[in-house]
Amino acid sequence: MSGRPTPHLPSQGAESGTAAPFYPRLGDLAADTARGGRVGVVVALPGEGAATYHLQPPGGGTPWSAPADASTLRPVPAKATHATLLVRDALYDHRARQGSMAILVHHEDGSSTEAVLVLTPPDMERLHSQTERILTERERSLGGAP
């Protein structure tokens, strides 16, 4: 054993294979599954003069309520803005016949998430061609040979 905590194990308090429950805070965006995934801003919390969550469309409009246990509410993830390569070796899986590269996905809220860019052989050829074109353009802009 590594001595590091493994919160996915039931003996350490989390149920195996489940994510932590989502309890939105005031001002959070939440998607309400009882309303077909409608997104709203949490404008009142249970216990603060309300028995339920109160939500309102982000641009204004008719508010609605959701159960106090937040069972129908889901987080609305921040949108990705761009991805950058991580400094790790690219891999090729002969069995799957695909390559992979580690990337860091940046989100508009300033957070980031590690992910893997999976490339099929045609994707790899296209990426090689596009990268070569970019490098040629860079050379031209630096005054190098065309």
Side-chain angles (χ1 to χ4, degrees), residues 77-117:
K79 292 181 181 177
T81 59
H82 64 285
T84 53
L85 290 174
L86 289 172
V87 182
R88 297 192 187 138
D89 284 340
L91 302 171
Y92 184 74
D93 183 337
H94 295 279
R95 289 180 299 157
R97 296 183 178 169
Q98 62 189 23
S100 63
M101 300 173 76
I103 61 172
L104 190 63
V105 180
H106 302 268
H107 304 279
E108 65 185 5
D109 66 356
S111 66
S112 57
T113 309
E114 285 192 29
V116 176
L117 176 62

Side-chain angles (χ1 to χ4, degrees), residues 22-73:
F22 174 61
Y23 296 109
R25 297 175 297 185
L26 204 58
D28 282 354
L29 285 178
D32 191 348
T33 60
R35 303 269 179 163
R38 185 175 180 197
V39 174
V41 178
V42 176
V43 294
L45 301 172
E48 294 181 7
T52 60
Y53 282 94
H54 289 249
L55 295 96
Q56 179 173 320
T62 306
W64 74 94
S65 8
D69 65 0
S71 59
T72 65
L73 301 178

